[in-house]
Amino acid sequence: MTNENKALLIKRGFLLLLATVICLAVWFFPKKKEAEKAPEKIKYQIEITHFHKPHDPDSEQMADILNKVSAKYTHQEVHVTHVDITSQPELVAKEKITKVPKVVMKTEGNPDPVCKFQGLWTQPQVEFTVEKILRGLKSVGKDWRPEVHGMK
């Protein structure tokens, strides 16, 4: 057997060994499973946080008003969260709550409040404020210009 034949056999053996290792690696090592995706958080246009004191008549009335306002708009536009201030005194100091109920309205992607008020508001006042904010959000979007006949 000549050196060329030995080199050819070694080359073929090496390629066969390499192919076997690759096949075994594919066979035995499982594919990574895609991590289960958490359900996407629903993005609301307006997040309303109601700092609520239980058994307070003004706070209870404000909670009813906010629930009606939330039900009036679609589930993607307005979301109301009621926070019990008696169980979270550090939040009272942080939010500087002096009179209940306190309501804070924020828009999506904006950490600063758009509107906040303390005390009882009527349902028409709250609805007017929510409509004003929604109207402002629609006018600021990418399609804020009105469609004009003849322009493309």
Side-chain angles (χ1 to χ4, degrees), residues 107 129-141 144:
T107 57
T129 305
V130 168
E131 287 174 6
K132 189 167 99 175
I133 294 169
L134 288 173
R135 195 173 39 242
L137 288 173
K138 288 178 184 172
S139 68
V140 175
W144 64 272

Side-chain angles (χ1 to χ4, degrees), residues 67-96:
N67 288 336
K68 289 176 186 175
V69 168
S70 177
K72 180 180 177 181
Y73 296 96
T74 60
H75 67 280
Q76 294 266 330
E77 288 180 340
V78 177
H79 182 255
V80 177
T81 306
H82 302 283
V83 178
D84 183 6
I85 62 171
T86 57
S87 64
Q88 299 176 359
E90 68 280 350
L91 192 62
V92 173
K94 180 183 173 191
E95 289 291 329
K96 299 175 185 170

Side-chain angles (χ1 to χ4, degrees), residues 28-47:
F28 286 112
F29 290 107
K31 294 179 183 176
K32 291 182 180 178
K33 294 181 181 178
E34 292 183 23
E36 292 183 24
K37 294 181 181 177
E40 289 186 22
K41 184 179 177 184
I42 297 174
K43 293 184 179 180
Y44 300 99
Q45 290 183 357
I46 301 176
E47 288 279 342

Side-chain angles (χ1 to χ4, degrees), residues 14-29:
F14 181 72
L15 287 176
L16 183 63
L17 179 67
L18 185 63
T20 306
V21 168
I22 290 173
C23 289
L24 290 175
V26 169
W27 183 283
F28 286 112
F29 290 107

